[in-house]
């Protein structure tokens, strides 16, 4: 009876050892799979975050400054430009969405999504003509950055100075004539003032770029 019980105990111990080995091997295999998935997820998230950061970087071709994009330029993005911008997404499925519009899509990415809020700017050139007989100043809209002047006089008027918010931007004592371009501060709406000598017969054509903007979500999805 003792011998039979001992043999049974040995058989039970062997079975337990086999079961333990099986469970341990399976656990190691599952752990390896989990680690591999975690590594893949980490790489994908890094690629998505890198692309999102590059899309809103100040030095990108389609941005005016950090987190401010030109609407026309960003809508012209394609997969070639995206791969050049963020090499880590090459050969991966990607989707870039601005607001409700998909800008770029390759494959069917569903793995990792990163979002940013961006200022989307639209630009339109505007022109007005200042008649120096009746007008010596003009106010331009807020956020005007660059101004172009086309100065034309009849020879009896000498336009010597142009000021923007009391700052002299152009001066020529012998007379300004022709086309000029200069930048103005974005802090306040610019007001241009014109100083003349002699007669007051002449015109100044003022051209500027008017900026309007909205804030929209930029969504980047990256897959395998």
């Amino acid at each position: 009876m003792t011998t039979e019980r001992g043999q049974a105990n040995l058989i039970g111990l062997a079975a337990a050892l086999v079961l333990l080995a099986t469970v341990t091997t399976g656990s190691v295999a599952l752990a390896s799979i989990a680690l591999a998935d975690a590594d893949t997820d980490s790489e994908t998230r890094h690629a998505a975050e890198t692309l999102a950061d590059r899309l809103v970087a100040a030095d990108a071709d389609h941005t005016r400054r950090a987190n401010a994009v030109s609407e026309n330029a960003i809508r012209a993005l394609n997969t070639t430009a995206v791969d050049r911008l963020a090499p880590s997404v090459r050969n991966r499925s990607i989707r870039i969405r601005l607001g409700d519009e998909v800008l770029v899509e390759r494959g069917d990415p569903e793995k990792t999504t990163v979002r940013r809020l961006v200022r989307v700017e639209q630009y339109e050139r505007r022109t007005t003509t200042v008649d120096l007989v009746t007008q010596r100043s003009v106010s331009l809209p807020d956020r005007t950055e660059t101004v172009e002047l086309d100065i034309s006089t009849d020879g009896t008027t000498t336009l010597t100075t142009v000021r923007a918010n009391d700052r002299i931007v152009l001066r020529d004592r012998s007379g300004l004539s022709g086309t000029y371009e200069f930048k103005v501060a974005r802090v306040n709406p610019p007001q241009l003032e014109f100083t003349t000598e002699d007669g007051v017969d002449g015109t100044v054509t003022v051209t500027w770029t008017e900026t309007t903007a909205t804030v929209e979500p930029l969504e980047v999805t990256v897959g395998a």
Side-chain angles (χ1 to χ4, degrees), residues 64-137:
R64 298 295 300 273
R65 57 196 173 281
N67 298 310
V69 302
S70 163
E71 181 184 44
N72 290 340
I74 198 168
R75 292 190 190 285
L77 277 177
N78 54 42
T79 55
T80 300
V82 169
D83 287 345
R84 185 169 56 250
L85 195 65
S88 57
V89 302
R90 288 176 181 170
N91 302 319
R92 289 180 177 270
S93 56
I94 56 172
R95 183 184 301 112
I96 301 173
R97 187 190 303 272
L98 181 64
D100 296 329
E101 181 180 352
V102 174
L103 303 181
V104 178
E105 188 168 37
R106 178 172 61 204
D108 186 21
E110 298 296 341
K111 201 168 187 63
T112 301
T113 297
V114 175
R115 294 175 179 86
R116 300 282 188 270
L117 279 178
V118 296
R119 175 183 166 89
V120 183
E121 297 184 345
Q122 304 88 33
Y123 314 107
E124 186 172 355
R125 285 176 67 80
R126 302 280 189 178
T127 299
T128 189
T129 299
V130 177
D131 186 345
L132 296 175
V133 175
T134 58
Q135 188 178 359
R136 295 297 181 88
S137 66

